[in-house]
Amino acid sequence: HEMTGHRNWVLAVAFSPHNELLASGSMDNQVRVWNPHTGRPVGNALRGHAKWITSLAWEPYHLNAQNPRLASSSKDSTVRVWDPTSGTCLFSLAGHTASVSVIKWGGEGLLYTASQDRTIKVWDSTQGKLVRSLQGHAHWVNTMALSTDYVLRTGPYDHTGAAPEDLEEAKTKAYNRYKEASASRSERLVS
């Protein structure tokens, strides 16, 4: 499908963990949510950022299987957490002093944001409160990875192709896969 609607270059895309939504972020300062099966938009554009979108991250499946929230980071130094179904910005995270380069949504409900201000900030995703600020980079922080990225991205689905029978089984399977991936050590972040 060709999905039209942005008025400038698309810089970030991300599938939801249940594979029912696709988000895109653009230099038009907007986030759009799409139905990947039809190519049609889901609701209106998510507006609120003052500059272009740099990264997108969905809430992991085991934390919210039915209506996962979406986080967007921007060149405007903020992160916004959205309810993509209603199009509502639930809260905004401000604390970086330069562009936010990338955002990750961890399996314990923490949001990790990396910035050109040379810091990584860790946020509580339920209240939007800063948990800690990690310093030490000599230059911009352009990328991050979590040791659990793969299982967070794939949720209840694995290499066997076996599909869960219902939502509850899917959520349980996603949780068990996350716990197995983080069992020997807690979730780790590298930047």
Side-chain angles (χ1 to χ4, degrees):
H1 299 286
E2 182 177 335
M3 300 171 186
T4 58
H6 284 294
R7 296 185 318 270
N8 209 323
W9 299 331
V10 173
L11 301 174
V13 293
F15 274 101
S16 65
H18 58 22
N19 215 26
E20 296 299 317
L21 299 171
L22 175 68
S24 59
S26 168
M27 284 188 71
D28 64 8
N29 309 345
Q30 298 175 6
V31 175
R32 291 189 176 265
V33 180
W34 310 90
N35 179 326
H37 307 293
T38 65
R40 297 186 175 273
V42 176
N44 295 319
L46 307 178
R47 294 180 173 93
H49 284 293
K51 293 187 178 178
W52 62 81
I53 310 306
T54 56
S55 184
L56 299 165
W58 288 94
E59 185 173 19
Y61 195 98
H62 70 276
L63 297 177
N64 189 345
Q66 285 190 290
N67 188 28
R69 296 174 292 166
L70 174 67
S72 59
S73 62
S74 172
K75 181 82 172 160
D76 68 9
S77 307
T78 68
V79 171
R80 291 181 177 267
V81 176
W82 307 91
D83 175 342
T85 305
S86 69
T88 305
C89 178
L90 302 172
F91 52 84
S92 182
L93 306 174
H96 285 291
T97 58
S99 175
V100 180
S101 309
V102 65
I103 183 166
K104 293 283 186 175
W105 204 313
E108 299 296 327
L110 296 172
L111 285 167
Y112 301 90
T113 59
S115 170
Q116 290 180 0
D117 67 8
R118 303 185 330 240
T119 68
I120 295 170
K121 297 200 181 295
V122 184
W123 309 85
D124 177 323
S125 69
T126 57
Q127 300 177 29
K129 295 191 188 265
L130 182 65
V131 174
R132 70 184 60 91
S133 186
L134 307 173
Q135 300 176 353
H137 284 277
H139 201 55
W140 298 350
V141 186
N142 293 316
T143 190
M144 296 183 293
L146 291 170
S147 59
T148 55
D149 271 345
Y150 177 74
V151 294
L152 293 177
R153 189 175 60 252
T154 56
Y157 307 102
D158 60 20
H159 66 285
T160 66
E165 291 191 26
D166 58 30
L167 184 66
E168 202 52 46
E169 180 186 344
K171 188 173 179 180
T172 300
K173 188 172 181 185
Y175 176 77
N176 290 340
R177 291 186 73 225
Y178 169 74
K179 282 304 187 185
E180 182 180 330
S182 61
S184 62
R185 291 184 162 186
S186 60
E187 187 171 66
R188 295 174 314 263
L189 174 74
V190 64
S191 61

